Amino acid sequence: MAHDEIQIPFHRPSLTELERRAVLEVLDSGWITTGERTVEFEERIATGIGVRHAVAVNSATAALHLILEALRIKPGDEVIVPTYTFAACGEVVVYCGAYPRLVDIDRGTLSVSLDTIEPHVTRATKAIMVVHFGGRVAEMERILAFSRERGIAVIEDAAHALPASRDGRQAGSFGDAGAFSFYATKTVTTGEGGMIVTDREDIADRARVMRLHGISRDAWRRYSSSGSWYYEIEDAGFKYNMTDLAAAMGLAQWTRADAMRVLRERTALAYRELVHSYGLEDAVDLPPWPDRHQTDSWHLFPLRLRPEAIQAPRDEVIESLRAAGIGTSVHFIPLHHHPFYQRTYGYRTTDFPVATEEYGREISLPIYPDLSYDDAERVIRTLAAAVHKR
Ligand SMILES: *Cc1c(COP(=O)(O)O)cnc(C)c1O
């Protein structure tokens, strides 16, 4: 079906005059790559999240890779990775030559928990990667207590969780280091971009060097008036730096991040009410509502169908929504279902039953600041007609 027939897209970034002006200022400044805007963006994120260091890069994938590299993850090491996540989480472990030890998820939150992690910890486990699925902070306290005792590092994939908090602490500030994504569909976007946040100076220092060719700190300054032509290559680094064009957009987005979160929460509330008013409460499982200790980013609204209560299979429901001009998505196709992980590590589709079952019945509904109540109602009305309740 043609793209222009979708009337309610799965995602639409919220971009205003503020972002437009910020980007144009950079264009007019004569300095468009890593520079003062990037430094300012790092400072704002570090302050906002409550950590000592923030290191801007060009994706969350790069951020996760640099964190693992700074932790010196190497061949022979194992990193725990939820199977219910995006490609990035597993591939960065492979970049380091280490073993991606996949684990199942908690059925309620769709994130890992200590119960799903613990059986897979071995003597080779060097790090645990936690994904705050959908923007709900995972049960960090238990995971951190367990990992601290054993000297295992904890990495937060907070790609969905800007901003999100638990017990007054921001996602990204719990573990040894966290990664944010500014990809086009994420809650704060720069088109493409990412950020490492950490209290550990060793991780921040190493990441700053490795994000730009392994040359000495602030290498980008060599073209600025305060810079020098001289540099030394300390290691074989990467090309992961953020541009000032992206950072300017990010700074503008960041000033609006809380307001945008509230608008998404309003949509989540609307969906919850509408599911009841359309009599769908026995046909679907809603995402668990945050308690008073939690603030969710509501990056996703992951609905789960109850196959025993409806006649239409999930894929058919997605097709019906699409035919009615409504875009949806599925989060996630578990890593252990993909050919690479089966071929390389011998994972089988039957390995992680919770992830597999939830994947089979999940639909992510549209949720973003500019989605109106009328849009939300149309989504649920269409869903009610599509599921064919038994
Ligand atoms: C989007 C996403 C990433 C990757 O982010 P990029 O900035 O595109 O590299 C990583 N993990 C999760 C859970 C994501 O949703």
Side-chain angles (χ1 to χ4, degrees):
M1 176 174 293
H3 184 69
D4 58 3
E5 289 176 56
I6 290 287
Q7 285 122 25
I8 304 177
F10 171 64
H11 183 75
R12 179 177 282 149
S14 170
L15 300 170
T16 66
E17 199 47 38
L18 208 61
E19 286 83 357
R20 186 190 305 273
R21 258 190 279 123
V23 170
L24 287 176
E25 257 172 47
V26 173
L27 282 181
D28 292 338
S29 77
W31 187 282
I32 56 176
T33 187
T34 310
E36 297 303 336
R37 291 285 79 74
T38 303
V39 173
E40 190 184 340
F41 191 29
E42 290 175 339
E43 288 168 359
R44 292 283 166 82
I45 292 286
T47 307
I49 301 306
V51 293
R52 291 227 284 280
H53 312 280
V55 182
V57 288
N58 58 13
S59 71
T61 308
L64 291 169
H65 181 204
L66 289 179
I67 293 167
L68 292 179
E69 200 279 334
L71 291 168
R72 312 293 161 151
I73 301 297
K74 56 182 191 314
D77 293 342
E78 295 186 5
V79 177
I80 300 253
V81 174
T83 189
Y84 207 68
T85 188
F86 187 57
C89 300
E91 78 199 22
V92 294
V93 178
V94 181
Y95 294 173
C96 299
Y99 189 95
R101 178 68 70 182
L102 302 182
V103 304
D104 214 339
I105 44 160
D106 173 76
R107 197 182 293 281
T109 61
L110 303 177
S111 286
V112 293
S113 68
L114 185 56
D115 293 340
T116 73
I117 291 168
E118 203 172 347
H120 301 280
V121 172
T122 72
R123 259 177 311 183
T125 306
K126 291 290 152 56
I128 295 169
M129 193 183 296
V130 177
V131 176
H132 301 306
F133 182 92
R136 155 78 49 92
V137 179
E139 52 156 46
M140 295 308 292
E141 250 162 77
R142 288 184 72 212
I143 296 170
L144 286 169
F146 173 85
S147 58
R148 271 200 206 103
E149 235 170 63
R150 288 161 184 79
I152 300 171
V154 173
I155 301 158
E156 294 173 75
D157 177 341
H160 296 180
L162 189 63
S165 66
R166 183 165 177 147
D167 300 320
R169 276 178 77 177
Q170 292 292 318
S173 71
F174 289 86
D176 290 78
F180 292 116
S181 173
F182 308 123
Y183 180 62
T185 60
K186 299 291 157 68
T187 52
V188 171
T189 186
T190 64
E192 300 282 357
M195 187 84 76
I196 297 167
V197 287
T198 182
D199 278 330
R200 280 183 55 173
E201 193 162 5
D202 60 331
I203 293 179
D205 282 351
R206 177 70 179 175
R208 279 184 207 286
V209 170
M210 295 305 278
R211 76 172 158 182
L212 195 56
H213 304 299
I215 60 187
S216 41
R217 235 184 119 130
D218 292 343
W220 57 269
R221 280 190 205 275
R222 73 191 196 279
Y223 292 117
S224 73
S225 50
S226 61
S228 152
W229 58 269
Y230 185 75
Y231 60 85
E232 285 180 357
I233 300 166
E234 295 174 18
D235 217 325
F238 307 98
K239 185 64 165 77
Y240 282 167
N241 57 308
M242 176 178 275
T243 69
D244 264 16
L245 284 169
M249 196 170 153
L251 279 162
Q253 286 265 291
W254 181 234
T255 64
R256 302 176 50 233
D258 285 323
M260 290 194 291
R261 192 203 68 79
V262 169
L263 291 171
R264 289 189 302 274
E265 189 172 66
R266 197 183 59 174
T267 295
L269 268 163
Y271 277 146
R272 197 168 70 146
E273 280 172 23
L274 286 160
V275 157
H276 287 277
S277 40
Y278 279 88
L280 283 174
E281 63 269 34
D282 53 355
V284 302
D285 287 318
L286 288 163
W289 202 254
D291 67 31
R292 62 197 172 83
H293 304 290
Q294 296 161 329
T295 303
D296 289 17
S297 73
W298 291 109
H299 168 54
L300 298 177
F301 194 86
L303 203 74
R304 284 170 275 171
L305 303 176
R306 288 190 187 162
E308 69 282 7
I310 63 176
Q311 292 180 54
R314 188 268 313 270
D315 296 2
E316 201 178 295
V317 174
I318 290 175
E319 258 327 295
S320 301
L321 287 162
R322 177 190 275 281
I326 297 164
T328 58
S329 190
V330 172
H331 294 85
F332 285 99
I333 306 167
L335 294 183
H336 74 279
H337 284 232
H338 290 283
F340 171 76
Y341 289 92
Q342 300 194 348
R343 193 176 67 232
T344 314
Y345 305 103
Y347 287 113
R348 288 165 309 165
T349 308
T350 50
D351 278 344
F352 304 106
V354 177
T356 294
E357 190 180 334
E358 299 312 305
Y359 156 59
R361 66 193 194 102
E362 200 269 359
I363 302 180
S364 297
L365 301 184
I367 184 163
Y368 39 90
D370 296 331
L371 192 93
S372 70
Y373 183 85
D374 286 351
D375 291 337
E377 186 178 12
R378 187 164 146 200
V379 170
I380 299 301
R381 190 185 343 122
T382 309
L383 181 74
V387 295
H388 299 296
K389 278 174 62 173
R390 285 187 203 276

